[in-house]
Amino acid sequence: MQVQLRRPLKVYPGCYFYLYFPFAPFRFMIRGYPMNVAWWNVADAEGSGYSSELLFLMHRRGTISNIAERDGGFRKTFLDGPYEQNLSLQEYENVILTAKGPGIVGVLPHALHLAGRRLHDDRQRMGAPSSRTLHRGKTRKVDLFWILEDNSQQRWLHTELRIL
């Protein structure tokens, strides 16, 4: 589910939101669904951490997808958050991220964050005009291992992995 925000929010790896669906039946409307952000707009977030577009990964079958079907798509979604769990991976030289199946949602933002910091620093060193300073993270190498439970899972984040 791709969510377009009215104003940019600070997004960081490990953050999650509670999603509320106002067009759902009442018992689902008042209950928030916690979801990790799987991806955000890298061009917006590079260096600043702010993004106006978020991507959440969810199953095709289940409560939330049933609500979307009844609604004809997510016309309006309310977000509560972001809530955080900052692991500060930029403080380590070698980072190994592992995931199995849908667990990729938990580790992909960390890889995106580290890559965005590195891209920002590289552009600053090349002389790109900006008022921001260098991040100077310690990370030199990031390995991402994703074990697929089914070959169809590689389509979930095909575009995002190419961008990364």
Side-chain angles (χ1 to χ4, degrees), residues 28-46:
F28 297 116
M29 191 181 344
I30 59 173
R31 178 179 175 226
Y33 295 89
M35 297 186 109
N36 283 343
V37 177
W39 193 261
W40 55 86
N41 191 335
V42 182
D44 286 354
E46 183 194 313

Side-chain angles (χ1 to χ4, degrees), residues 1-6 18-23 35 56 71 73-80:
M1 174 176 85
Q2 194 120 13
V3 176
Q4 199 67 31
L5 304 172
R6 288 185 185 161
Y18 284 94
L19 277 66
Y20 295 89
F21 306 99
F23 295 105
M35 297 186 109
F56 296 95
D71 182 28
F74 297 105
R75 288 179 285 198
K76 194 175 251 190
T77 304
F78 296 113
L79 301 175
D80 179 20

Side-chain angles (χ1 to χ4, degrees), residues 17 26 32 45 65 88 101 105-107 112 131 134 136 145:
F17 291 84
F26 183 73
S65 60
S88 300
V105 172
V107 298
L112 175 65
S131 61
L134 295 173
R136 297 189 179 164
F145 296 98

Side-chain angles (χ1 to χ4, degrees), residues 76-111:
K76 194 175 251 190
T77 304
F78 296 113
L79 301 175
D80 179 20
Y83 296 99
E84 75 174 287
Q85 178 187 357
N86 190 355
L87 299 178
S88 300
L89 293 179
Q90 66 274 6
E91 298 299 320
Y92 301 96
E93 277 192 39
N94 296 312
V95 176
I96 300 173
L97 303 169
T98 61
K100 181 176 180 181
I104 190 70
V105 172
V107 298
L108 191 61
H110 293 286

Side-chain angles (χ1 to χ4, degrees), residues 2 11 36-42 51 53-57 105 108-109 111-112 157 159-164:
Q2 194 120 13
V11 185
N36 283 343
V37 177
W39 193 261
W40 55 86
N41 191 335
V42 182
S51 182
E53 190 176 293
L54 305 175
L55 178 70
F56 296 95
L57 192 63
V105 172
L108 191 61
L112 175 65
L157 297 166
T159 307
E160 290 76 12
L161 289 171
R162 284 188 178 269
I163 292 170
L164 184 63

